[in-house]
Amino acid sequence: MESEPILVVENIKKAFGPRVILKGVSMAIRRGELKVLIGPSGAGKSTFLQCINFLVTPDAGEIRLEGRPIHHSRKRELYAYRQQVGMIFQDFNLFDHLTALDNVMIGLVRVKGMDRKSARERAMAEIERVGLKEHAGHYPAQLSGGQKQRISIARALAMDPKVMLLDEPTSALDPELIGEVLAVIRDLVANGMTMVMATHQIGFSRAMANEIIFMEDGLIVEQGPPSVILSDARCERTKEFCSKITELYGEAS
Amino acid sequence: MPEGIAAILNALPYLLQGSFVTIVVVIGAMALGLVMGVPFAVGQVYGGPIVRRVIGVYVWFFRGVPLLVLLFLFYFGLCSLLDINLSAFTVAIIVLGSISSAYQSQIFRGTILSLPEGQLKAARALGMSDTRAIVFVIIPQALRLSIPAWSNEYSIVLKDSAVTYALGVAEIMARTHFVATRTYQHLPLYLAAGVIYLLLTYLGVKALRMIESGTRIPGYTR
Ligand SMILES: Nc1ncnc2c1ncn2[C@@H]1O[C@H](COP(=O)(O)OP(=O)(O)O)[C@@H](O)[C@H]1O
Ligand SMILES: [Mg+2]
């Protein structure tokens, strides 16, 4: 009854020098699903997400998009694959020398080879989608954190990704700005975007995620639907972590 | 003293022509240094061990050997060895430009390394090749941040250009020397030359400062 997974990540391992960061992490995600990664700082969530699009090269493991294994050493194949996997960073990483509009356009023009006019139209549509039409001409340094993150989401969406990876998209934001970014992500879920997201927003995850994956020390410790993992007695580690997190960060969703 | 002033006034058109030669030599050398320095910096930051090593040796050589030695080495040594006929003017630009490329590469290397690592990551995440990411994301930012150090490099190249008089390039210094030995008005004439150099430094630094504020990214403070 369920379709084949769109993205399969198998047994990813990564060490930095003698330090083993990922000890074999696997995940399969179906079209339209939201999987949430939680776990203490240093668990390897960012490293795992960056291994998925080879910003960090895994030492071992396989990644398949729509059934096709990705050979990251073939440059063309790697670049084509990355276009299909959008990435949202904790600290936005907007290109500082470009306006919001140019940030969204640059991938269309320099990667997809679109002409500037169509690229501008497409970029404006994405910027409107995240509600920042009036800010299209502003530079990153003129935007609030929440606005920067929304533009970075527009930049990723413009590439028509099949999957999006979000690495703590709200962790660098002041509490009052978290809501506007979560609203955009909620919209993506509603529109059927497939996403893997590391976050400390437990309330949001409870409401939106298909599955919560709890990582610790480079391994998946527990995983399951929010209803189970956040309440079932067998998932003691996750529950304990979540209550600590909720205490620490409060809730904004 | 009136004789001195007269000597300056008489020589002024001739010296100003020399200023023009100086300006062309300096702009040529700075441009050559830029065109070579940017790829050297990129090679040093992103290149493999062999590329880094070769550029390292180049930088070490051109920063280590005195300007006058390099000028004679190229003009009297290399040009006759290879039997190529280059004017002193051309050799001056090539030598000053090669030296400046060594220094400029270190300026750009520093600013490239000062950019947040996330800039390159974000470009790669869009599916951009490293070459394009460097051309469209890294270099435009690094160049902006390099302008203050570049203006310092300009004033050094300007002063170094006086040494090319040893090859007979008809720039400010050569012309001043020529007039001074004929009129015996050394003091006023070399003072005038000094003032011209100061003015050129002032104007160049001012122009670069205007470029800096013209290319400043709104809201960006660093
Ligand atoms: N480039 C790197 N070099 C060395 N160690 C790294 C590097 N990137 C991450 N690490 C280490 O890997 C561990 C996991 O980091 P990370 O994946 O960022 O965890 P998380 O996102 O769960 O907080 C940390 O201890 C971090 O110091
Ligand atoms: Mg992290």
Side-chain angles (χ1 to χ4, degrees):
Chain A
M1 98 207 159
E2 294 258 66
S3 57
E4 281 290 294
I6 183 169
L7 180 73
V8 175
V9 180
E10 253 169 25
N11 205 22
I12 296 290
K13 294 183 181 166
K14 180 68 191 179
F16 288 113
R19 287 198 54 206
V20 182
I21 308 299
L22 298 176
K23 301 169 179 167
V25 183
S26 303
M27 187 192 72
I29 184 164
R30 291 190 177 74
R31 210 175 294 275
E33 276 188 329
L34 169 65
K35 298 222 182 207
V36 162
L37 283 178
I38 60 173
S41 167
K45 303 180 298 292
S46 299
T47 307
F48 178 60
L49 287 173
Q50 296 191 39
C51 278
I52 296 180
N53 66 356
F54 301 103
L55 288 181
V56 170
T57 312
D59 299 331
E62 184 173 85
I63 292 169
R64 293 192 298 275
L65 182 67
E66 297 181 316
R68 278 191 306 277
I70 309 303
H71 304 96
H72 67 270
S73 52
R74 299 180 193 157
K75 294 276 185 234
R76 277 177 189 284
E77 192 174 330
L78 174 66
Y79 300 151
Y81 166 72
R82 280 180 179 159
Q83 286 181 50
Q84 303 175 68
V85 180
M87 178 116 200
I88 303 301
F89 299 89
Q90 182 173 342
D91 37 15
F92 330 121
N93 292 343
L94 289 182
F95 304 126
D96 290 324
H97 64 304
L98 299 177
T99 61
L101 177 62
D102 285 330
N103 263 279
V104 183
M105 278 176 69
I106 189 171
L108 297 172
V109 176
R110 301 296 179 193
V111 179
K112 294 212 174 222
M114 210 183 256
D115 66 273
R116 289 195 69 85
K117 188 167 169 292
S118 333
R120 174 182 301 265
E121 276 167 22
R122 176 65 202 271
M124 276 314 293
E126 295 302 343
I127 291 174
E128 273 175 49
R129 179 164 166 189
V130 298
L132 289 173
K133 195 178 162 197
E134 295 75 31
H135 298 275
H138 288 173
Y139 284 83
Q142 299 170 308
L143 299 172
S144 73
Q147 292 168 336
K148 280 189 230 184
Q149 195 59 295
R150 283 150 71 195
I151 291 296
S152 95
I153 292 173
R155 175 174 71 178
L157 288 175
M159 303 298 285
D160 283 322
K162 291 179 174 152
V163 178
M164 283 178 65
L165 312 172
L166 300 91
D167 190 1
E168 302 198 29
T170 58
S171 293
L173 299 176
D174 293 335
E176 72 271 19
L177 302 177
I178 292 176
E180 65 184 61
V181 172
L182 290 182
V184 170
I185 297 170
R186 199 176 285 122
D187 227 48
L188 293 180
V189 174
N191 283 306
M193 178 57 75
T194 312
M195 292 185 280
V196 185
M197 169 165 152
T199 186
H200 291 312
Q201 298 293 322
I202 304 301
F204 178 87
S205 307
R206 179 185 285 119
M208 307 301 293
N210 298 87
E211 184 174 61
I212 292 180
I213 298 173
F214 181 64
M215 265 183 83
E216 199 168 34
D217 282 333
L219 281 172
I220 294 179
V221 180
E222 290 164 353
Q223 68 189 109
S227 55
V228 175
I229 203 163
L230 297 175
S231 54
D232 197 296
R234 283 167 301 171
C235 300
E236 206 43 58
R237 302 284 289 283
T238 311
K239 275 197 307 186
E240 188 190 316
F241 174 77
C242 289
S243 62
K244 250 192 277 172
I245 283 297
T246 313
E247 244 172 68
L248 211 60
Y249 295 90
E251 274 299 335
S253 55
Chain B
M1 205 56 210
E3 296 153 48
I5 291 169
I8 292 175
L9 288 179
N10 279 334
L12 204 54
Y14 184 66
L15 295 188
L16 288 180
Q17 280 169 8
S19 313
F20 185 70
V21 176
T22 294
I23 290 170
V24 175
V25 167
V26 170
I27 289 179
M30 289 297 287
L32 184 62
L34 175 70
V35 169
M36 293 165 71
V38 169
F40 287 170
V42 168
Q44 273 202 318
V45 177
Y46 301 108
I50 296 171
V51 171
R52 291 209 302 268
R53 180 95 208 147
V54 169
I55 298 168
V57 169
Y58 176 94
V59 170
W60 171 75
F61 179 80
F62 279 97
R63 291 205 301 190
V65 180
L67 171 59
L68 194 55
V69 176
L70 286 173
L71 286 171
F72 283 11
L73 182 69
F74 272 71
Y75 191 58
F76 300 116
L78 271 185
C79 285
S80 54
L81 177 73
L82 302 175
D83 198 23
I84 37 178
N85 203 358
L86 292 179
S87 68
F89 175 79
T90 311
V91 170
I93 291 179
I94 292 174
V95 170
L96 283 171
S98 302
I99 296 170
S100 187
S101 74
Y103 284 97
Q104 288 191 43
S105 72
Q106 298 313 294
I107 295 174
F108 300 136
R109 188 174 76 116
T111 48
I112 289 174
L113 288 174
S114 78
L115 295 174
E117 166 188 46
Q119 296 286 308
L120 189 59
K121 274 196 175 167
R124 284 177 174 158
L126 289 173
M128 212 180 274
S129 68
D130 283 9
T131 313
R132 276 166 187 255
I134 289 164
V135 170
F136 297 116
V137 174
I138 301 300
I139 291 178
Q141 297 189 50
L143 285 183
R144 279 185 178 82
L145 295 174
S146 299
I147 296 175
W150 215 66
S151 127
N152 186 48
E153 174 66 9
Y154 160 78
S155 66
I156 291 169
V157 174
L158 173 65
K159 286 183 287 183
D160 278 357
S161 73
V163 178
T164 66
Y165 118 94
L167 298 187
V169 179
E171 42 70 70
I172 300 168
M173 176 63 196
R175 287 171 189 246
T176 312
H177 180 74
F178 180 71
V179 181
T181 46
R182 296 176 92 209
T183 60
Y184 299 105
Q185 297 289 340
H186 296 279
L187 182 65
L189 286 168
Y190 283 117
L191 265 178
V195 169
I196 294 176
Y197 278 113
L198 282 175
L199 271 176
L200 291 180
T201 306
Y202 173 79
L203 291 175
V205 169
K206 188 110 183 153
L208 283 167
R209 198 158 292 154
M210 278 167 65
I211 293 175
E212 189 185 352
S213 57
T215 57
R216 175 165 294 144
I217 301 161
Y220 197 74
T221 47
R222 204 158 44 171

